Amino acid sequence: MEELDVEPALTLVPGVAPGRGRLHFQWGPGEMLVCEAAFPGAGHGEKGPGCPYIHVLRKDQDIHLHTLRKLFNESHGIFVGLQRSDEELSGKSKKAQLVGVSKNYRSVIRACMEDMHQMAISTRDPALHNQYSTQVSILSAMELIWNLCEILFVEVAPAGHLLLHLLDWVRLHVCDVDNMVREVLSSENPSKHELFWNVVDIFVLQGRMEDARHLLSKEATANPTSKGMCKILDDLMKKMPVLGLGNTQTLTEMELKWQHWHEECQRYLQDGTFASNPHMESICKILLGDENAILEKKELMTTWYHFLVTHLLYSHPAVKPVELRFYAQSSLDQFLGGENSPEPLDTILMAAFEFEIHQVIKECSIALSNWWFVAHLTDLLDHCKLLQSHNLYFGSNMREFLLLEYASGLFSHHSLWQLGVDYFDHCSEYGRVYLELHIERIPLTTEQKALKVLRICEQRQMHEQVRSICKIMAMKALRNNRLGSALSWSIRAKDAAFATLISDRFLKDYCERGSFSDLDLIDNLGPSMLLSDRLTFLGKYREFHRLYGEKRFSEAAKLLLMLMTAHIAPCSFWMTLLTDALPLLEQKEVIFSAEQTYELMRCLEDLTAGKLDNQKLQDDDIETTKVEMLRLAFARNLARAIVKEGTLEGS
Amino acid sequence: MFVARSIAADHRDLIHDVSFDFHGRRMATCSSDQSVKVWDKSENGDWHCTASWKTHSGSVWRVTWAHPEFGQVLASCSFDRTAAVWEEIVGESNDKLRGQSHWVKRTTLVDSRTSVTDVKFAPKHMGLMLATCSADGVVRIYEAPDVMNLSQWSLQHEISCKLSCSCISWNPSSSRAHSPMIAVGSDDNSPNILAKVQIYEYNENTRKYAKAEALMTVTDPVHDIAFAPNLGRSFHILAVATKDVRIFTLKPLRKELTSSGGLTKFEIHIVAQFDNHNSQVWRVSWNITGTVLASSGDDGCVRLWKANYMDNWKCTGILKGNGSPVNGSSQQGIFNASLGSANTSFQNSLNGSFAGRKQS
């Protein structure tokens, strides 16, 4: 990240000759980068096979691995829970809660490791097997680091308890022990097994006194000559003072007892009690915290941090957190012995022992290929108020920076993007704008997906995005001639102009085909009808047809007339409306009153007067015939109406 | 870090531009073979060419997509002195089954007297508008007032830049505090020391575009230019591809108090300058949040630049060819699965296999 001058990661793209000239490219929303090779100019004389290639690159393949999805999903739940529960607790209960959250994260990592391991052993493809195994290693490393951070930063274990936690940590992360243990214990004569003393050593190195004593007793029974020594050693092990978690003794009391015990071990060693049995003598030296004796068991410990904890257990059990860094550095140096240099994992753990939180995060960001780990860990540490109290001012910015990176990565996945939404929600400074930018790029492949995206935008009052998405869907529907769909999308977008356009199309279709499509939609427009005048007209016009179909003629008539007189209908449509009036005029009973008929006639005159003379000449005969027909019909109806209205109702 | 898939492009000559649509599911390429090809991404991630047609009578320099709010619309520009706007027609069902679609030309913009070197659609909040720039140094801005009728475009502005233009970029900011703005780059090679990047801003009062700024420090030919997406910042970020990669910030100072709607004055800073390509830089392109800039150069590499949370820009990745030939079955996953450089070292530092792990 910042000051570290790391060599930028180099990716080799197959099929592109290096240095053969420029590459063109463009970013795509799915974090894709299209790289395509242009040959150098014709001057080179070769046009190659004449076929340039386009390379589509995708970042973060991690996202697409099936089992990691579970990791992302479950950690999302923990993350959201943590953000929401923050305000309630304080003090001790708060710490317990944070430790609980940390443990949850770790159990999710472990579950993922299990699944990945299962997939590794069940696959036949060696390449896949390697891939899965690599993932398992990475997850294991992540859990190791997280666990240490939990002990040092979240739990903030004080002196005494600190060592106990570290012991647990080491015991948890050393694998090969159990196999060996099982092998030895299940053999007929354990003490004669060649690995017997290895197992005893391991138990001692890990401070598992009970187990060590159990094995020693087997040796005692099998080998009467060493019985005496076994008894003494057993005794020493039994008496070793340990600060139990439930113990009431203070640290000082324990330290005093420990000092006495240490001296006792010293005496036995100097007396040569164990001289005849090199195994037991070395164990005694280990109990005394002799670095060389412990280092001899390097192969059994396998890691420098195991060495560190063992050494601390037997020399400084009451180690304070601030002292850790010195011991850690020395342990690392001694263990590596100048042969090897520290690996990334070692650097990260060392930074943790030195309580350099920012360094830990920085190193992890570099070593790991996706942002999941650092984003969630940093967020947790931020909740522990560890980043703010740090000297550097960008504490909370770093949390947000990492969360934004992680969530952005999620958006390139066709379903995990939904998790990303919640992460953006909890980034106070840039979360919203990042969400706006990302969410409008989600491909709207199906209606359901579009609706899902819309719901998210509407919940957050992202009005512009709502409008834009609806417009895109409306446009797509319109291009495919799905007028009903287009209309409902433009209503949702509250896009009056577009709604007008689509209504016009509907009406045009009606004129051409004589029937409506998507009747359901138009019939149930409700108040959204008012979005645009044209839309209102469409709705009302359909209502007219419905009334006519239900034979409610006088209502239909009234509506028809109103459409013209209230100028809801566009002038271009009046002719059609008047023509629609014809069947009503031909009915046996008089439907249009005289008053209404006058209105109709006036409408017709307005319409024809509007046309210029030369236009009339160009009109078909059909037009003029229509007008004639209408005038005739109106006149006839007028006559009948006057008569009807003038007649007294028969009593 | 990256996984690559290779597609045989099937153009018979050099490809000059490649462009993703807004959602990243379609792609357009244009070439010296005078044609444009459109590619669609299928459900399983494969790319298929769904259209290929001759668009101009000269090399096609650039191709760009309009915002999907306007439908499926492309614009192309060419050495033949024209730019064209294309719309996809939803085809017969037969065509759909064969996976082919048709594009029709809606309009040809013929005002330029010289090769048209770039064409870009304006941000969608400005309506359906595009800008072209030509070797004769003129930037032209066209608008289609009726978005449903793509054959009617009117020339709204003609900006004379005095230098041969090679690239343009619209400022994507839709904030009301920012007037429409366009940056123009010039590849003029003459030894004069005129600024090769000019910024034009729309003036509400005069209803014209006027020159707001010229980046005096850029005196070498400019090949590409790109405004970064605006994350709600008050200032703008502009990347320039010239003999090196440069990133500028433009901070608007208070507008001239004499007339509201007058020209904005800008405070210009150069926040990064990288010559790692060691050669001419040809393209610069921002990702969608404007947090990563990619640049490509004559050294055959693409470099990625990112600012950390302290606003320091650093190179975070390099892409270059490894020289190996592409496999014949190009789409069947030439997956360069590299999960990060530290994998092997993690494996080494960790204690062996997973077998027999203790369960907590």
Side-chain angles (χ1 to χ4, degrees):
Chain A
M1 299 210 303
E2 351 124 313
E3 298 91 34
L4 271 168
D5 249 335
V6 187
E7 220 10 73
L10 181 64
T11 306
L12 296 176
V13 181
V16 179
R20 250 181 68 173
R22 65 191 80 130
L23 297 175
H24 291 307
F25 65 90
Q26 213 215 1
W27 280 109
E31 292 261 88
M32 282 188 284
L33 194 63
V34 174
C35 255
E36 144 280 341
F39 307 143
H44 283 248
E46 45 132 338
K47 274 252 177 107
C51 180
Y53 277 86
I54 302 172
H55 307 279
V56 182
L57 298 171
R58 203 173 62 229
K59 238 182 87 164
D60 272 342
Q61 205 216 349
D62 289 343
I63 295 271
H64 302 273
L65 288 176
H66 175 69
T67 38
L68 279 185
R69 227 185 273 188
K70 196 157 121 183
L71 179 73
F72 298 147
N73 269 308
E74 302 199 358
S75 58
H76 164 261
I78 302 171
F79 174 83
V80 173
L82 176 60
Q83 311 306 309
R84 291 200 184 137
S85 71
D86 204 28
E87 304 83 28
E88 300 152 14
L89 308 164
S90 61
K92 236 186 190 167
S93 47
K94 171 105 173 153
K95 183 159 95 148
Q97 184 212 27
L98 290 170
V99 172
V101 168
S102 181
K103 286 187 167 23
N104 276 345
Y105 275 124
R106 283 199 294 125
S107 67
V108 166
I109 299 176
R110 296 176 84 98
C112 192
M113 264 193 321
E114 265 292 354
D115 289 343
M116 197 73 76
H117 176 66
Q118 287 307 318
M119 292 177 68
I121 54 182
S122 61
T123 182
R124 300 259 186 95
D125 179 357
L128 265 183
H129 174 86
N130 281 340
Q131 214 179 19
Y132 289 137
S133 303
T134 314
Q135 271 298 336
V136 171
S137 303
I138 296 175
L139 286 169
S140 183
M142 279 168 24
E143 207 261 324
L144 178 77
I145 300 167
W146 193 301
N147 199 343
L148 183 61
C149 290
E150 183 184 302
I151 296 169
L152 298 176
F153 307 137
V154 186
E155 183 84 60
V156 196
H161 292 285
L162 176 59
L163 185 63
L164 293 173
H165 283 292
L166 286 176
L167 258 180
D168 278 336
W169 176 65
V170 159
R171 286 178 193 160
L172 213 52
H173 290 92
V174 176
C175 318
D176 278 342
V177 184
D178 291 347
N179 276 344
M180 229 193 293
V181 169
R182 245 197 308 274
E183 216 185 295
V184 168
L185 286 180
S186 54
S187 73
E188 283 186 19
N189 225 336
S191 57
K192 295 282 183 277
H193 198 292
E194 54 171 358
L195 294 177
F196 174 77
W197 284 108
N198 280 354
V199 177
V200 179
D201 284 338
I202 283 176
F203 285 151
V204 172
L205 290 168
Q206 291 188 3
R208 289 156 72 174
M209 294 311 180
E210 291 293 324
D211 296 329
R213 289 175 56 209
H214 177 69
L215 275 186
L216 261 187
S217 66
K218 292 212 193 290
E219 162 71 5
T221 33
N223 208 344
T225 47
S226 58
K227 198 167 177 174
M229 287 193 284
C230 286
K231 180 81 177 60
I232 297 173
L233 196 53
D234 178 88
D235 210 42
L236 283 177
M237 287 181 183
K238 192 164 70 176
K239 283 200 283 192
M240 175 170 162
V242 177
L243 183 69
L245 282 172
N247 236 322
T248 49
Q249 65 177 316
T250 64
L251 197 57
T252 349
E253 282 176 12
M254 193 222 96
E255 277 188 289
L256 212 53
K257 282 196 195 155
W258 190 85
Q259 199 54 40
H260 284 306
W261 174 82
H262 188 89
E263 282 162 12
E264 195 180 339
C265 294
Q266 189 74 27
R267 262 179 279 130
Y268 277 115
L269 183 68
Q270 282 172 345
D271 284 348
T273 323
F274 303 109
S276 57
N277 189 323
H279 292 293
M280 289 203 249
E281 188 171 57
S282 108
I283 288 176
C284 188
K285 284 190 184 160
I286 291 174
L287 291 181
L288 284 169
D290 182 325
E291 279 179 346
N292 293 324
I294 303 175
L295 262 180
E296 266 172 39
K297 310 294 175 188
K298 208 167 159 182
E299 299 303 319
L300 295 176
M301 292 186 295
T302 65
T303 61
W304 64 273
Y305 36 97
H306 190 327
F307 171 53
L308 165 68
V309 175
T310 304
H311 179 234
L312 285 174
L313 174 64
Y314 294 115
S315 58
H316 307 277
V319 62
K320 299 199 196 68
V322 295
E323 296 168 343
L324 269 182
R325 58 170 63 205
F326 307 111
Y327 295 120
Q329 188 61 56
S330 123
S331 297
L332 177 61
D333 293 336
Q334 284 183 300
F335 197 87
L336 292 181
E339 304 162 357
N340 307 312
S341 48
E343 313 233 320
L345 179 59
D346 300 328
T347 330
I348 294 169
L349 294 173
M350 182 57 71
F353 284 122
E354 292 173 346
F355 283 80
E356 297 281 353
I357 299 181
H358 284 267
Q359 192 72 17
V360 172
I361 296 171
K362 211 188 298 186
E363 300 275 355
C364 288
S365 306
I366 296 167
L368 294 165
S369 62
N370 85 26
W371 299 99
W372 181 89
F373 183 76
V374 282
H376 289 86
L377 181 63
T378 308
D379 175 62
L380 178 63
L381 295 178
D382 188 60
H383 277 95
C384 299
K385 305 269 186 284
L386 285 171
L387 296 179
Q388 290 159 8
S389 62
H390 211 270
N391 268 344
L392 302 160
Y393 71 92
F394 51 79
S396 62
N397 285 352
M398 176 157 71
R399 167 192 170 270
E400 184 160 312
F401 177 86
L402 294 171
L403 285 175
L404 289 172
E405 289 292 328
Y406 172 65
S408 296
L410 287 176
F411 265 87
S412 60
H413 190 268
H414 65 88
S415 68
L416 287 176
W417 62 268
Q418 296 170 75
L419 303 179
V421 174
D422 287 310
Y423 286 96
F424 282 140
D425 281 343
H426 291 105
C427 291
S428 49
E429 219 178 310
Y430 283 114
R432 189 184 168 88
V433 66
Y434 265 66
L435 181 57
E436 283 172 7
L437 287 172
H438 279 285
I439 210 160
E440 57 182 11
R441 298 278 186 156
I442 294 175
L444 306 166
T445 42
T446 61
E447 288 246 339
Q448 285 98 314
K449 196 160 187 191
L451 289 171
K452 209 185 280 191
V453 174
L454 272 180
R455 217 181 355 258
I456 291 171
C457 294
E458 279 164 358
Q459 278 169 353
R460 290 158 180 76
Q461 276 94 44
M462 293 181 167
H463 302 297
E464 171 54 31
Q465 279 67 32
V466 170
R467 189 206 59 79
S468 183
I469 290 167
C470 291
K471 185 67 188 284
I472 294 173
M473 296 302 286
M475 200 58 161
K476 201 154 63 161
L478 187 63
R479 281 182 62 236
N480 287 296
N481 234 359
R482 290 179 288 119
L483 293 180
S485 181
L487 185 60
S488 58
W489 282 113
S490 28
I491 290 173
R492 192 152 181 178
K494 299 200 183 22
D495 191 336
F498 213 58
T500 303
L501 200 132
I502 298 173
S503 309
D504 270 338
R505 278 279 201 102
F506 268 118
L507 294 168
K508 198 167 88 145
D509 273 358
Y510 169 78
C511 286
E512 284 168 14
R513 282 190 275 132
S515 65
F516 284 109
S517 54
D518 300 288
L519 287 176
D520 266 342
L521 178 65
I522 306 174
D523 283 342
N524 293 309
L525 280 175
S528 49
M529 209 191 285
L530 300 170
L531 178 64
S532 103
D533 283 344
R534 197 57 49 83
L535 186 58
T536 315
F537 169 62
L538 178 66
K540 290 286 173 200
Y541 187 52
R542 166 63 200 145
E543 198 183 321
F544 162 73
H545 279 272
R546 236 199 10 254
L547 290 173
Y548 185 88
E550 291 168 12
K551 301 211 193 306
R552 290 151 68 183
F553 295 132
S554 53
E555 289 176 63
K558 217 183 333 194
L559 179 58
L560 185 66
L561 199 50
M562 192 262 286
L563 287 177
M564 285 185 283
T565 53
H567 292 282
I568 298 178
C571 284
S572 50
F573 218 75
W574 279 19
M575 204 53 182
T576 317
L577 288 178
L578 291 169
T579 319
D580 281 335
L582 278 177
L584 290 173
L585 296 163
E586 316 268 294
Q587 295 286 332
K588 266 205 223 141
E589 57 169 300
V590 176
I591 298 168
F592 284 101
S593 69
E595 179 80 37
Q596 287 174 325
T597 318
Y598 279 125
E599 289 287 339
L600 282 173
M601 293 163 88
R602 198 197 344 262
C603 287
L604 182 59
E605 293 316 309
D606 281 344
L607 190 61
T608 49
K611 292 191 184 167
L612 298 166
D613 273 28
N614 50 0
Q615 220 185 359
K616 233 181 180 165
L617 285 174
Q618 287 165 11
D619 276 346
D620 318 15
D621 287 328
I622 299 175
E623 276 300 301
T624 30
T625 320
K626 252 199 223 167
V627 173
E628 296 293 325
M629 237 171 37
L630 283 171
R631 289 213 176 102
L632 189 57
F634 291 160
R636 275 212 303 263
N637 192 70
L638 188 57
R640 290 162 62 199
I642 292 174
V643 168
K644 176 183 167 201
E645 284 158 29
T647 314
L648 287 170
E649 293 297 312
S651 46
Chain B
M1 274 248 287
F2 283 94
V3 170
R5 242 180 194 183
S6 302
I7 307 158
D10 254 348
H11 276 290
R12 290 186 304 284
D13 205 333
L14 296 177
I15 295 179
H16 293 292
D17 198 14
V18 59
S19 176
F20 272 117
D21 81 328
F22 189 72
H23 295 293
R25 293 177 61 84
R26 310 190 81 180
M27 186 167 67
T29 57
C30 65
S31 155
S32 269
D33 68 1
Q34 303 177 2
S35 73
V36 165
K37 287 185 195 287
V38 173
W39 307 76
D40 278 27
K41 188 175 180 188
S42 66
E43 287 303 323
N44 60 0
D46 289 335
W47 290 88
H48 301 284
C49 180
T50 53
S52 170
W53 73 103
K54 181 163 171 350
T55 48
H56 290 275
S57 50
S59 290
V60 189
W61 298 128
R62 303 268 190 156
V63 66
T64 183
W65 294 84
H67 194 278
E69 269 187 40
F70 302 113
Q72 296 297 302
V73 178
L74 277 175
S76 60
C77 67
S78 160
F79 180 73
D80 70 358
R81 309 192 298 277
T82 68
V85 177
W86 310 86
E87 187 178 18
E88 189 183 33
I89 295 297
V90 175
E92 300 295 307
S93 47
N94 285 339
D95 288 331
K96 270 229 180 80
L97 286 174
R98 280 190 297 125
Q100 291 300 306
S101 67
H102 294 285
W103 290 77
V104 298
K105 184 190 280 206
R106 287 304 187 205
T107 192
T108 314
L109 306 171
V110 298
D111 304 90
S112 173
R113 302 273 172 79
T114 54
S115 167
V116 183
T117 50
D118 201 358
V119 60
K120 290 281 189 316
F121 281 102
K124 69 171 185 305
H125 68 268
M126 291 173 63
L128 190 50
M129 203 184 271
L130 59 78
T132 61
C133 72
S134 312
D136 62 7
V138 180
V139 170
R140 294 178 174 84
I141 299 178
Y142 298 85
E143 185 178 15
D146 179 2
V147 305
M148 296 311 296
N149 181 1
L150 292 177
S151 31
Q152 294 288 63
W153 290 78
S154 64
L155 176 59
Q156 301 280 68
H157 304 279
E158 244 178 352
I159 305 170
S160 180
C161 302
K162 312 239 181 356
L163 290 173
S164 146
C165 304
S166 59
C167 49
I168 43 180
S169 174
W170 287 97
N171 186 344
S173 168
S174 55
S175 155
R176 268 186 246 139
H178 301 141
S179 303
M181 195 189 294
I182 190 167
V184 185
S186 163
D187 59 353
D188 185 279
N189 228 333
S190 55
N192 61 44
I193 48 166
L194 288 176
K196 300 294 197 304
V197 174
Q198 301 169 50
I199 317 274
Y200 289 88
E201 198 190 20
Y202 184 68
N203 184 326
E204 300 289 341
N205 284 2
T206 62
R207 306 265 192 95
K208 282 198 202 308
Y209 279 85
K211 178 144 81 169
E213 278 301 338
L215 300 183
M216 302 307 300
T217 51
V218 185
T219 50
D220 299 284
V222 170
H223 307 293
D224 200 12
I225 197 168
F227 271 106
N230 188 303
L231 289 177
R233 291 181 297 252
S234 60
F235 60 93
H236 313 292
I237 298 183
L238 182 67
V240 179
T242 168
K243 67 170 199 262
D244 48 28
V245 178
R246 293 188 207 181
I247 305 176
F248 293 90
T249 55
L250 289 87
K251 200 182 299 190
L253 302 170
R254 230 179 354 185
K255 289 199 177 197
E256 303 282 278
L257 293 171
T258 46
S259 51
S260 63
L263 274 183
T264 320
K265 283 250 158 273
F266 291 93
E267 189 182 307
I268 303 175
H269 291 288
I270 181 163
V271 293
Q273 187 164 354
F274 301 111
D275 57 5
N276 302 50
H277 283 286
N278 228 2
S279 55
Q280 293 292 320
V281 181
W282 283 90
R283 283 297 164 90
V284 280
S285 172
W286 292 97
N287 69 344
I288 60 167
T289 45
T291 47
V292 183
L293 175 70
S295 64
S296 76
D298 263 343
D299 60 344
C301 291
V302 175
R303 284 186 166 72
L304 305 176
W305 312 92
K306 195 177 168 73
N308 62 8
Y309 47 88
M310 290 185 84
D311 276 337
N312 289 335
W313 289 86
K314 284 215 143 46
C315 180
T316 58
I318 304 176
L319 304 163
K320 75 201 289 204
N322 71 354
S324 64
V326 174
N327 200 328
S329 56
S330 55
Q331 299 246 22
Q332 256 55 51
I334 302 176
F335 276 94
N336 233 1
S338 62
L339 293 167
S341 51
N343 296 347
T344 41
S345 39
F346 264 24
Q347 250 176 328
N348 291 341
S349 6
L350 268 189
N351 186 12
S353 72
F354 180 71
R357 262 198 81 89
K358 245 203 181 113
Q359 300 301 313
S360 68

